[in-house]
Amino acid sequence: MRKYLVYFSVPCFFIFPMLFVYQASLFGSTQQGLSDENDYPVDVTHRTPQRVMAFMKRSPKSCESWISQLNTSIPVLLIDVDLLKALEKNNCGSVSPSKSIMVGVDVTHLSATWLLTDPRFVVLYYTNETGKDYLDFRSDPRKIIPKKFETRWVGNVEIPVNIPRFLGFSTRGKFIDCMNLHIPRTGMKVRMPAKPSSAALAHLRDELIENNMFPFLNGGTLLGWYRECSVIPHTADMDLSVFAENYNPEFVDKMEKNQSGFRISRKFGMINDSFELTLAPKEGFKVYIDIFLMYQGVENGTVTHNWVGGLSPDGTKYKYSYPVYDPWCAADLHGHIFWVTCTPNEKIVKEYGALWYLDHLTSKYSWNSSGKNVKKNGKWTKDQMKDVYKVFKGKK
């Protein structure tokens, strides 16, 4: 921020707009976004009360016309929450004509200083690096979103096509950093090379998003990211979770119909109880990825914790409990965006104990007894096991 204030210190009338930009959060609103009145957009560069009233007496403009008024000589990404919601409903007449619209602008256009004083806009700059699969916004706090989303153009205005999904990205965008601790390891065989395994995990992330699920890191993968900003090299698999209420069973249907880049290795439990999938990519680096459905723990009508399940071959069920989960912060894992809990230390201490920062070999870690948050949770019958314990060809 300091460099912008220095750069625009002369003339001084640039200072206020820059502070305005810096303080605005990604996809937020700077003014009352949706008006209860029958307001319609006007040419805000020449806005006067007389022109507004004259405009409102004419026929309301379509959303396309509304957007066309935002056209500029450089490309801008529409990220304004209020206007995006109005676009989804095709009801742009509900957007106040006095509202400044939030747009994202690539830092390659920093020289277009006139944009900062255009009353139509609140500007947030972002970087779009080739080696990363997310856009990195210079907001306060810093926010990142996946760059893989379909858009359309109205002039030089880029508009997300799947608006609910894009807004889902925005609400999950607050960046959180890892600890980057040095973990001494010597003479250890690397079972999980960081970059190819992270790339495979990102591929699965994209497929889950396409099926309207937002996955987040959990278990050893969350620990590896938080502790050392990487993948634990001696781990045997990677871990994701999806909230049970967010689960889409069509995802499994597509894999069974060979409409996915992944195959099912194992399927445990039932959708409403201890459901777990183990998947492997059909091509590229062979990595097994566990997806756990995360459930709400309810006591006396109140959600007191979250939990995921586990299942042993003899039918014993296990329950891994966590403090109420808040997974919607965003993190970087080798150039890929993943969602994580906003309070990773709390969740990791709960599962791995106070000495979580020490390395423990996977070969000496028991999945159903070493965790500090695991306990037995009943047992499936032999007949039930025929339905809830399935290991497929090419098993793990």
Side-chain angles (χ1 to χ4, degrees):
M1 179 59 205
R2 186 179 295 118
K3 68 179 182 179
Y4 294 125
L5 292 178
V6 172
Y7 184 81
F8 292 108
S9 60
V10 179
C12 64
F13 61 79
F14 279 115
I15 294 178
F16 177 76
M18 284 306 298
L19 289 174
F20 192 59
V21 171
Y22 180 76
Q23 293 173 0
S25 62
L26 179 59
F27 308 163
S29 298
T30 57
Q31 303 179 32
Q32 180 64 33
L34 296 180
S35 172
D36 293 331
E37 302 174 0
N38 189 25
D39 294 333
Y40 300 112
V42 297
D43 181 359
V44 293
T45 59
H46 300 89
R47 183 186 292 127
T48 65
Q50 293 78 15
R51 288 180 62 84
V52 172
M53 291 304 297
F55 185 91
M56 291 176 64
K57 290 178 181 178
R58 300 196 298 268
S59 299
K61 287 201 171 187
S62 68
C63 283
E64 292 295 302
S65 297
W66 214 118
I67 298 299
S68 67
Q69 291 189 114
L70 302 177
N71 199 26
T72 69
S73 60
I74 63 171
V76 298
L77 172 64
L78 182 60
I79 59 176
D80 191 271
V81 171
D82 294 328
L83 184 52
L84 286 171
K85 288 181 177 179
L87 279 169
E88 184 187 4
K89 297 177 181 178
N90 195 28
N91 183 27
C92 293
S94 63
V95 181
S96 169
S98 63
K99 175 178 169 59
S100 297
I101 301 303
M102 186 167 288
V103 294
V105 177
D106 195 299
V107 293
T108 57
H109 297 291
L110 277 173
S111 61
T113 56
W114 56 265
L115 195 63
L116 298 173
T117 56
D118 189 326
R120 294 176 296 169
F121 302 114
V122 176
V123 177
L124 282 179
Y125 289 103
Y126 64 84
T127 57
N128 183 3
E129 297 184 33
T130 303
K132 298 180 179 179
D133 62 13
Y134 57 84
L135 304 180
D136 194 342
F137 284 82
R138 295 181 174 182
S139 54
D140 182 21
R142 176 185 175 189
K143 296 193 176 183
I144 62 176
I145 65 169
K147 65 171 65 172
K148 187 177 180 181
F149 54 89
E150 186 181 356
T151 62
R152 63 187 180 91
W153 291 85
V154 176
N156 263 342
V157 182
E158 187 176 14
I159 307 168
V161 171
N162 189 327
I163 292 175
R165 182 177 299 167
F166 186 80
L167 293 178
F169 292 162
S170 78
T171 59
R172 295 165 169 82
K174 181 181 177 181
F175 180 80
I176 184 171
D177 213 345
C178 44
M179 296 294 291
N180 200 23
L181 301 180
H182 172 66
I183 308 298
R185 297 183 178 101
T186 57
M188 179 203 65
K189 181 180 179 181
V190 175
R191 299 179 61 184
M192 191 72 68
K195 290 188 177 181
S197 59
S198 298
L201 194 66
H203 182 192
L204 179 56
R205 172 208 63 196
D206 289 345
E207 284 207 15
L208 290 168
I209 291 172
E210 285 300 315
N211 286 274
N212 299 313
M213 292 182 280
F214 287 93
F216 48 94
L217 301 186
N218 195 31
T221 305
L222 178 68
L223 173 63
W225 160 78
Y226 184 62
R227 185 175 65 189
E228 51 210 87
C229 298
S230 190
V231 178
I232 299 174
H234 52 72
T235 191
D237 52 29
M238 306 186 82
D239 301 306
L240 289 175
S241 282
V242 173
F243 280 129
E245 58 268 27
N246 187 220
Y247 177 68
N248 181 4
E250 292 180 3
F251 176 60
V252 169
D253 295 339
K254 289 179 180 179
M255 284 190 289
E256 292 175 342
K257 295 176 182 177
N258 201 29
Q259 298 173 353
S260 166
F262 291 81
R263 62 174 179 82
I264 304 175
S265 174
R266 304 184 305 186
K267 183 167 66 171
F268 296 160
M270 302 175 67
I271 292 178
N272 64 349
D273 185 2
S274 307
F275 191 70
E276 174 188 349
L277 292 171
T278 299
L279 310 179
K282 295 177 180 177
E283 299 179 354
F285 178 70
K286 185 177 181 180
V287 54
Y288 288 101
I289 304 172
D290 292 332
I291 301 177
F292 298 89
L293 289 197
M294 182 170 282
Y295 305 89
Q296 293 181 337
V298 180
E299 298 178 4
N300 298 321
T302 302
V303 178
T304 59
H305 62 283
N306 287 100
W307 63 279
V308 301
L311 179 61
S312 65
D314 68 355
T316 302
K317 298 195 294 181
Y318 294 89
K319 182 177 182 179
Y320 302 79
S321 297
Y322 302 90
V324 176
Y325 229 80
D326 53 349
W328 304 134
C329 281
D332 176 289
L333 184 63
H334 296 288
H336 304 285
I337 181 175
F338 291 101
W339 293 292
V340 298
T341 169
C342 296
T343 54
N345 188 272
E346 177 190 44
K347 307 305 187 295
I348 288 171
V349 168
K350 178 69 174 179
E351 184 163 10
Y352 297 99
L355 299 180
W356 60 269
Y357 51 85
L358 299 179
D359 193 35
H360 298 279
L361 290 178
T362 301
S363 59
K364 298 181 180 180
Y365 189 90
S366 172
W367 69 270
N368 59 1
S369 62
S370 294
K372 309 298 182 183
N373 63 335
V374 60
K375 63 180 181 180
K376 291 183 179 180
N377 189 37
K379 192 170 184 177
W380 299 106
T381 66
K382 288 185 177 181
D383 285 340
Q384 289 174 324
M385 284 290 282
K386 296 175 183 178
D387 295 320
V388 302
Y389 191 91
K390 296 183 180 296
V391 179
F392 301 93
K393 185 178 181 181
K395 65 181 180 179
K396 183 176 177 179

